Amino acid sequence: NPLSPSSSPAPSFTPPPGLLKFLELDREKPRTKKMIVVGFGSMVVPSPAAPFFLLFLKAAALLNIKILIQLGWAKLDEGGGSEEEVFRKLADEAEKYAKGVADADLVYPDDDRNGEVGEAWEEVSSDGVGTRALVDGDDKTGDGGIWRAGQDAYRCPPCPHDLLFPLMDGVVHHGVAVTVHTSLKSKVPTWVIPFFGDQPMWGQRMEELGCGPAPISLSSLTLDIVYNRLQKLVNDNEMRARCQKIGRR
């Protein structure tokens, strides 16, 4: 198991079942989609943070990749509502937005999209092959995260970066030095969105090394920018090869 505590400086960490399921580590078959993690630790994301994270959820849905969100200190809802419910609504909104853009043909087999999952759903691709399996499931994983059958977004509970990052196809964070080091050590392309201090420098350095897209400030983010940066993050083979080379040093 790549998340085995024996391989980490954090031996007390036990990966929750929902995380293993979302990462597809509970199966022998190869992973079905590319995957990224987005998190900004203790940085002060504008509150409520829902519109900010919705940009990433929409972009990931448009790219048809899986996304883990680590909220850190960010709060999705200041109104006292359940963050799990808010996250589920955001993920649904992003999913529906992407489908509207793609004008996809969908089949919803007796599934109440606004309530509990009864039967999961299947997206029909142009060649008639479903890109998501039909699986009965519950909304909640019971481990601090939330995932729904057929959804590609997961509110990730705390997880050591040295275990999580090597499993990703791309990482997005604020560029604090220790997290940049973990990104390089993990050989994973990284997009830095700096907040203050030396973080802009580290974001620029990652770009100069060829290990990530150009950094950009939080206030400058748009859906187009997030989409284009994530697309480069997960699809640029030259960038990935550069990360592999530097990570072996």
Side-chain angles (χ1 to χ4, degrees):
N1 185 341
L3 285 181
S4 170
S6 62
S7 64
S8 170
S12 62
F13 175 74
T14 300
L19 178 59
L20 296 177
K21 183 177 182 67
F22 188 82
L23 295 173
E24 301 181 38
L25 296 177
D26 60 343
R27 47 184 278 169
E28 296 180 359
K29 296 181 180 180
R31 201 163 69 193
T32 57
K33 294 186 180 183
K34 293 182 178 180
M35 191 178 305
I36 65 170
V37 60
V38 178
F40 302 97
S42 60
M43 297 298 99
V44 180
V45 177
S47 185
F52 169 70
F53 285 109
L54 184 58
L55 291 176
F56 289 91
L57 291 167
K58 283 184 175 180
L62 288 168
L63 290 165
N64 196 28
I65 61 176
K66 300 180 78 169
I67 179 171
L68 296 92
I69 299 287
Q70 290 191 308
L71 290 177
W73 287 12
K75 298 295 183 183
L76 291 180
D77 183 20
E78 293 294 332
S82 164
E83 295 224 329
E84 292 176 345
E85 291 298 320
V86 175
F87 185 84
R88 181 171 62 187
K89 289 177 181 178
L90 291 176
D92 278 343
E93 181 178 342
E95 187 177 272
K96 291 174 183 177
Y97 174 84
K99 287 172 178 53
V101 171
D103 194 25
D105 295 322
L106 299 176
V107 177
Y108 292 100
D110 301 322
D111 182 14
D112 177 7
R113 302 302 292 151
N114 296 315
E116 297 292 317
V117 173
E119 294 180 54
W121 52 276
E122 180 179 17
E123 177 182 350
V124 181
S125 63
S126 58
D127 59 2
V129 179
T131 60
R132 297 181 177 90
L134 285 166
V135 181
D136 289 339
D138 192 342
D139 286 292
K140 297 180 180 179
T141 62
D143 55 40
I146 181 166
W147 178 76
R148 290 178 64 186
Q151 255 188 357
D152 292 331
Y154 180 76
R155 189 177 75 93
C156 187
C159 177
H161 288 162
D162 63 318
L163 296 183
L164 189 61
F165 284 9
L167 301 174
M168 297 293 107
D169 297 289
V171 173
V172 182
H173 58 69
H174 50 298
V176 68
V178 65
T179 313
V180 169
H181 176 265
T182 304
S183 290
L184 291 171
K185 183 180 177 182
S186 301
K187 307 174 187 176
V188 59
T190 299
W191 178 25
V192 171
I193 300 176
F195 285 66
F196 58 78
D198 61 353
Q199 296 168 10
M201 180 272 291
W202 286 118
Q204 186 65 39
R205 186 59 179 150
M206 292 296 280
E207 182 188 15
E208 291 170 352
L209 290 171
C211 293
I216 189 171
S217 66
L218 191 74
S219 60
S220 299
L221 290 178
T222 65
L223 181 55
D224 284 346
I225 289 174
V226 175
Y227 175 88
N228 289 326
R229 294 290 205 282
L230 293 187
Q231 185 179 51
K232 183 175 181 64
L233 192 70
V234 300
N235 292 324
D236 191 322
N237 292 329
E238 185 176 338
M239 181 184 293
R240 187 163 306 281
R242 184 69 176 157
C243 291
Q244 292 286 329
K245 181 178 179 179
I246 291 179
R248 288 193 293 268
R249 291 180 180 176

